[in-house]
Amino acid sequence: MERIGVFCASSSQMSPMYYDAARQLGLWLGSHGKTLVYGGSRCGMMEVLAQAVKESGGRVFGVVPQKVLKSGMASDQIDITFYADGLSDRKDWLIGESDIMLVLPGSVGTLDEAFTAMASHTFGEHQKRIVFYNINGFWDDLFVMLDNLEKKGVVNKPFSLFVSRVSTLDELTSLIEG
């Protein structure tokens, strides 16, 4: 897997542990010749990740919605820019240009991207793995909800067939390499 899609927070108000985890992932991606495919913002975890990828020799593909571009919030770390009309278009590009999707801590935008990737997999639009990086238990409550959906019988395809949950960088990089 060469093109690694990442969904994550644009917030700059999170605990430093999350930015450190994003940085470590970015350093690993860059030093292993991977290309980051992400939302193209110069804010929060998104920028930390992109800077680390570039710092360690990797390439960065940014999928930048027009609103981000017009507001001057597009990252300077981007090697190749895909211009998206809006958030729906951005998700299509992110999923289409990635070999795998990683879900780092984030808010409703990150969840929107992750759920779109999951739904489009279930619908048969792609066969890519979606990996939740559960840094310090960030996604624990979400996992309870997803497990309950399966228990209640509303899930047509078990999430475990295409969604992985990891808690460490070593687990995450093993999935990417493997």
Side-chain angles (χ1 to χ4, degrees):
M1 295 187 206
E2 300 304 315
R3 294 176 303 173
I4 313 303
V6 178
F7 310 137
C8 66
S10 62
S11 172
S12 299
Q13 301 173 21
M14 299 170 69
S15 168
M17 81 175 97
Y18 300 117
Y19 305 108
D20 183 57
R23 178 168 168 67
Q24 294 308 312
L25 173 60
L27 292 173
W28 184 90
L29 291 172
S31 67
H32 285 79
K34 307 298 182 187
T35 298
L36 169 66
V37 182
Y38 83 123
S41 173
R42 63 175 170 92
C43 300
M45 288 180 73
M46 294 173 75
E47 183 71 355
V48 169
L49 179 64
Q51 285 176 349
V53 169
K54 292 294 290 185
E55 177 184 323
S56 58
R59 289 176 34 112
V60 176
F61 288 5
V63 183
V64 183
Q66 291 300 319
K67 185 172 182 168
V68 171
L69 189 64
K70 288 176 183 173
S71 67
M73 299 304 289
S75 176
D76 294 331
Q77 306 300 317
I78 300 171
D79 294 305
I80 306 247
T81 303
F82 298 94
Y83 296 101
D85 292 329
L87 294 179
S88 293
D89 190 34
R90 176 200 231 177
K91 290 181 287 186
D92 290 343
W93 276 103
L94 286 167
I95 294 166
E97 291 298 322
S98 301
D99 298 324
I100 187 172
M101 276 79 66
L102 311 182
V103 185
L104 276 62
S107 186
V108 294
T110 302
L111 287 170
D112 178 44
E113 292 164 338
F115 283 134
T116 297
M118 291 168 68
S120 60
H121 187 289
T122 301
F123 197 64
E125 292 179 357
H126 68 84
Q127 296 300 311
K128 301 168 186 179
R129 183 150 290 280
I130 299 124
V131 182
F132 283 85
Y133 188 8
N134 194 28
I135 302 161
N136 199 40
F138 188 90
W139 296 117
D140 285 350
D141 293 334
L142 177 65
F143 296 156
V144 170
M145 185 195 74
L146 293 175
D147 291 343
N148 281 332
L149 290 175
E150 285 193 16
K151 288 176 190 171
K152 292 177 181 180
V154 297
V155 175
N156 294 324
K157 182 178 185 179
F159 294 125
S160 61
L161 295 177
F162 61 97
V163 175
S164 297
R165 306 168 181 186
V166 300
S167 298
T168 68
L169 183 60
D170 286 341
E171 291 172 324
L172 183 57
T173 56
S174 291
L175 274 177
I176 293 169
E177 290 180 320

